Amino acid sequence: MPEFDDGRLDDADVLAAADGLLRPLAEAGARVRREASLAADALAGLTDESRPRAVIAIGPEARLLRALLEPVCPVPFLAWPSLGLPGWVGPLDLVVVLGGTGQHAGSAVAEALRRGSRLLVVAPEGSTLARQSASRAATLLPVSASSDPFPVALTALAALHAFGLGPAVSAEGVADAFDAVARACGHGRDLAENPAKRLALELADAEPFIWGGSVLAARASRRIAEAVRTASGRVALAADAGELLPLLAATPPRDPFADPFADPADAGAPLRPTLVVVDDDLGDAETAEQRAALEQNAEAVDVRVSRVEQVSGEPLERYATVLATGLFAAAYLQIGLARDERR
């Protein structure tokens, strides 16, 4: 198992070599503004739309749309993970396809058109998906060919607001939130004042248990866990309190006589967990009880508790903040472990 070198996080040469890993994170705000500009004309044309019977969203961030809209959408909202569409979908329904390529997205578009459904497609102009969806029943919301699915979801949210199906979302506010994280977590800030570098250090010798209490925080925790797994090649678990509490209870207390400088891999010992609490302060009383139980159980077995928090701003701005902080931390973990920074 590679050893984490915290000196790499403040080494100018190492950080310059990792530019391809860090720059896309720093440019997240700029991507949000660019995609909002590209889709502005198409969004302005969404007027006098009748309310659908139901909304079916398909694509990489369909679950994010559901997390935001399910509590407030005046019609049923479904994030559909399978090929094609549910059998009941018809002319009264709205199908939203969030970019993507291949059989999944194309099959959904073809099914929606065949059944006469209203169709919203968020995809680059001239793309295969845009050509497949060309119809009077379809509206194309153009985006760039970026691999980042978040601005695509933000464009779809703006369209659903225009349809009267969800709250207004400020692309500029979300972009500002990403920019604030880029400033706070940028490579130029040293470990002492950089929250993402500190989190990377806390995860350097750990198996992360990541918990988010609210619906959006839980979504962010899953995205962060995916990034940590990719960055480190280790297990990183995002789960609810009911799944994490037994794992914490089964963790043996730390041995006070253990050599803190020994390599756990050499000793054949598993990595100890670290509990990462992702908090956007949008949970309820039950969420607060779950957080307290997790932190108390972690303290009982001497498991470190790390926190990624944002307790002000609009819900999607808070989501962007905790997500971006976690993604920066995963990138610094990868740099500290000297894994290929070009990935």
Side-chain angles (χ1 to χ4, degrees):
M1 181 177 296
E3 182 178 350
F4 186 88
D5 179 3
D6 61 355
R8 291 174 58 84
L9 302 188
D10 290 328
D11 185 310
D13 292 335
V14 170
L15 293 170
D19 183 72
L21 184 65
L22 294 170
R23 183 178 293 273
L25 299 177
E27 293 177 342
R31 286 196 299 275
V32 166
R33 293 186 181 91
R34 182 177 65 244
E35 303 298 5
S37 176
L38 285 174
D41 290 343
L43 289 169
L46 296 178
T47 58
D48 300 324
E49 296 285 346
S50 59
R51 178 176 293 181
R53 177 181 60 178
V55 180
I56 303 90
I58 297 167
E61 288 284 23
R63 289 185 175 88
L64 174 60
L65 265 62
R66 183 183 65 187
L68 281 162
L69 296 184
E70 197 170 43
V72 298
C73 186
V75 301
F77 191 101
L78 177 67
W80 186 248
S82 305
L83 289 173
L85 294 172
W88 51 263
V89 173
L92 299 178
D93 304 305
L94 172 64
V95 177
V96 183
V97 179
L98 304 171
T101 58
Q103 186 180 7
H104 190 177
S107 173
V109 165
E111 279 290 297
L113 293 176
R114 184 177 66 82
R115 300 186 196 183
S117 303
R118 182 74 170 88
L119 181 63
L120 276 178
V121 175
V122 191
E125 288 185 307
S127 64
T128 299
L129 196 59
R131 293 194 298 271
Q132 290 174 329
S133 61
S135 167
R136 287 184 297 178
T139 296
L140 175 68
L141 301 174
V143 293
S144 70
S146 168
S147 60
D148 184 357
F150 186 87
V152 172
L154 200 60
T155 299
L157 286 168
L160 291 169
H161 169 66
F163 277 47
L165 300 173
V169 175
S170 169
E172 188 62 29
V174 173
D176 287 345
F178 277 130
D179 289 346
V181 174
R183 289 191 295 270
C185 300
H187 65 81
R189 287 185 177 263
D190 63 27
L191 202 155
E193 58 179 9
N194 189 317
K197 289 182 180 181
R198 287 199 303 271
L199 179 57
L201 183 60
E202 292 167 358
L203 299 181
D205 59 351
E207 178 180 317
F209 293 169
I210 308 177
W211 175 82
S214 74
V215 174
L216 284 175
R219 177 68 184 162
S221 73
R222 290 190 288 273
R223 291 283 309 277
I224 293 168
E226 292 169 1
V228 169
R229 287 193 292 268
T230 299
S232 65
R234 301 174 182 170
V235 173
L237 176 64
D240 62 29
E243 294 170 311
L244 294 180
L245 284 169
L247 297 177
L248 288 171
T251 302
R254 192 184 300 274
D255 182 357
F257 302 105
D259 180 358
F261 299 103
D263 185 347
D266 293 341
L271 296 173
R272 286 185 62 77
T274 284
L275 175 65
V276 180
V277 174
V278 180
D279 183 17
D280 58 7
D281 198 31
L282 294 174
D284 53 18
E286 182 179 0
T287 302
E289 292 175 0
Q290 292 174 349
R291 173 173 176 161
L294 286 166
E295 293 180 343
Q296 290 167 7
N297 277 264
E299 182 180 1
V301 292
D302 197 18
V303 165
R304 179 193 293 119
V305 178
S306 300
R307 295 175 178 85
V308 182
E309 298 175 319
Q310 179 63 29
V311 298
S312 63
E314 294 299 316
L316 199 57
E317 295 168 14
R318 301 186 194 195
Y319 172 83
T321 299
V322 295
L323 174 61
T325 302
L327 296 183
F328 264 105
Y332 288 126
L333 179 62
Q334 183 171 332
I335 292 168
L337 292 171
R339 287 168 62 86
D340 187 356
E341 285 93 6
R342 294 169 297 178
R343 294 178 56 177

